[in-house]
Short mmCIF file of all heavy atoms in Angstrom, two decimals:
data_model
loop_
_atom_site.label_atom_id
_atom_site.label_comp_id
_atom_site.label_asym_id
_atom_site.label_seq_id
_atom_site.Cartn_x
_atom_site.Cartn_y
_atom_site.Cartn_z
N GLU S 274 -9.86 3.47 19.77
CA GLU S 274 -9.72 4.14 18.47
C GLU S 274 -8.79 3.29 17.63
O GLU S 274 -7.89 2.61 18.14
CB GLU S 274 -9.08 5.50 18.63
CG GLU S 274 -9.83 6.45 19.61
CD GLU S 274 -9.06 7.74 19.84
OE1 GLU S 274 -8.50 8.32 18.89
OE2 GLU S 274 -8.97 8.16 21.04
N ALA S 275 -8.99 3.35 16.32
CA ALA S 275 -8.07 2.64 15.43
C ALA S 275 -7.85 3.49 14.18
O ALA S 275 -8.70 4.32 13.82
CB ALA S 275 -8.67 1.28 15.01
N GLY S 276 -6.69 3.27 13.54
CA GLY S 276 -6.41 4.09 12.38
C GLY S 276 -5.43 3.41 11.43
O GLY S 276 -4.71 2.47 11.79
N ALA S 277 -5.40 3.93 10.21
CA ALA S 277 -4.39 3.55 9.22
C ALA S 277 -3.49 4.74 9.04
O ALA S 277 -4.00 5.91 8.95
CB ALA S 277 -5.08 3.22 7.88
N CYS S 278 -2.17 4.53 8.99
CA CYS S 278 -1.29 5.67 8.82
C CYS S 278 -0.25 5.42 7.77
O CYS S 278 0.26 4.31 7.62
CB CYS S 278 -0.62 6.01 10.18
SG CYS S 278 0.50 4.76 10.79
N GLY S 279 0.07 6.45 6.99
CA GLY S 279 1.05 6.33 5.94
C GLY S 279 1.17 7.67 5.23
O GLY S 279 0.36 8.57 5.46
N THR S 280 2.15 7.78 4.39
CA THR S 280 2.35 9.03 3.64
C THR S 280 1.11 9.36 2.84
O THR S 280 0.64 10.50 2.85
CB THR S 280 3.56 8.87 2.69
OG1 THR S 280 4.70 8.59 3.51
CG2 THR S 280 3.81 10.11 1.87
N ALA S 281 0.54 8.37 2.14
CA ALA S 281 -0.62 8.64 1.30
C ALA S 281 -1.88 8.72 2.18
O ALA S 281 -2.67 9.69 2.02
CB ALA S 281 -0.81 7.55 0.25
N ALA S 282 -2.02 7.80 3.11
CA ALA S 282 -3.24 7.75 3.93
C ALA S 282 -3.25 8.85 5.03
O ALA S 282 -4.29 9.11 5.61
CB ALA S 282 -3.36 6.35 4.57
N VAL S 283 -2.10 9.43 5.27
CA VAL S 283 -1.90 10.39 6.40
C VAL S 283 -2.31 9.63 7.68
O VAL S 283 -1.71 8.65 8.01
CB VAL S 283 -2.65 11.73 6.21
CG1 VAL S 283 -2.16 12.75 7.22
CG2 VAL S 283 -2.47 12.26 4.77
N ILE S 284 -3.41 10.08 8.33
CA ILE S 284 -4.00 9.26 9.39
C ILE S 284 -5.47 9.16 9.02
O ILE S 284 -6.17 10.14 8.98
CB ILE S 284 -3.88 9.90 10.78
CG1 ILE S 284 -2.40 10.09 11.17
CG2 ILE S 284 -4.60 9.07 11.83
CD1 ILE S 284 -2.21 10.74 12.55
N THR S 285 -5.90 7.95 8.70
CA THR S 285 -7.26 7.72 8.38
C THR S 285 -7.87 6.87 9.49
O THR S 285 -7.47 5.75 9.70
CB THR S 285 -7.39 7.00 7.02
OG1 THR S 285 -6.72 7.81 6.04
CG2 THR S 285 -8.81 6.81 6.64
N PRO S 286 -8.85 7.44 10.22
CA PRO S 286 -9.46 6.64 11.31
C PRO S 286 -10.25 5.47 10.74
O PRO S 286 -10.85 5.56 9.67
CB PRO S 286 -10.38 7.65 12.03
CG PRO S 286 -10.55 8.80 11.09
CD PRO S 286 -9.41 8.77 10.13
#
Side-chain angles (χ1 to χ4, degrees):
E274 304 173 43
C278 66
T280 299
V283 192
I284 298 180
T285 303

